[in-house]
Amino acid sequence: MILDKINTNEDLKNINISDLNELANEMREIIIKKVNATGGHMAPNLGVLEATIAMHYVFNSPKDKFIYDVSHQCYAHKILTGRKDGFTNPDNYYKYTGYTAPEECPHDLFKIGHTSTSVSLACGVVKARDLKNEKYNVVALIGDGSLSGGEAP
């Protein structure tokens, strides 16, 4: 399995780009298995799985900041940032929250759920970055029902 070779997002960068589709399939299977066993957010996570792999393949989290609007879309992100055991080992299924959580991992910038705030949060992070003369990317991942939340458009 390709996923066996990945314990952090840095490991992902060592995977051949031609193997990323297989990695996505493996991740899809473990997300489905976990959600079927515990409940949780299936569709939002499957909907952004390839996008999340691409983000981690291209960018350098945690230096580059990922801001999830619907942070219950973060399962693939968690798998790729050192929390894979919470998805592959049934004994650890409840070890991590279903949302981004800075107390779990430095790759999670905010603790949010379904707020329609990723764009405004990203603008604030960009402003702070620029005021401090720092250099990193900020990526806002918006989706699911957030576009109708009022603050996002």
Side-chain angles (χ1 to χ4, degrees):
M1 286 183 72
I2 296 167
L3 189 55
D4 291 340
K5 300 175 188 174
I6 297 176
N7 294 305
T8 70
N9 60 320
E10 289 302 316
D11 297 332
L12 178 64
K13 295 178 186 313
N14 297 321
I15 302 296
N16 190 307
I17 199 164
S18 64
D19 291 329
L20 294 181
N21 282 333
E22 180 58 32
L23 174 64
N25 289 335
E26 292 173 11
M27 291 173 66
R28 188 174 293 107
E29 286 178 27
I30 66 170
I31 289 170
I32 290 170
K33 184 176 179 183
K34 177 185 176 173
V35 172
N36 280 333
T38 64
H41 298 91
M42 179 96 65
N45 282 288
L46 298 180
V48 299
L49 194 131
E50 286 85 357
T52 302
I53 292 171
M55 286 168 39
H56 279 287
Y57 198 82
V58 171
F59 296 103
N60 296 306
S61 175
K63 180 180 180 185
D64 293 327
K65 310 302 183 202
F66 298 160
I67 302 171
Y68 284 81
D69 201 293
V70 183
S71 82
H72 61 252
Q73 290 179 312
C74 68
Y75 293 1
H77 168 74
K78 287 186 176 230
I79 292 167
L80 295 172
T81 56
R83 296 168 278 183
K84 176 174 66 174
D85 64 319
F87 295 83
T88 58
N89 182 345
D91 291 338
N92 292 328
Y93 276 174
Y94 295 100
K95 184 175 179 180
Y96 304 109
T97 178
Y99 300 93
T100 54
E103 68 275 9
E104 285 180 5
C105 182
H107 295 270
D108 295 357
L109 195 56
F110 295 103
K111 187 171 199 165
I112 48 179
H114 198 290
T115 59
S116 302
T117 59
S118 65
V119 174
S120 59
L121 286 170
C123 288
V125 171
V126 166
K127 183 68 171 176
R129 175 201 66 193
D130 293 349
L131 286 170
K132 295 164 74 175
N133 290 317
E134 296 178 342
K135 301 241 185 267
Y136 56 84
N137 296 294
V138 179
V139 179
L141 183 66
I142 188 166
D144 200 26
S146 293
L147 290 172
S148 62
E151 190 172 341

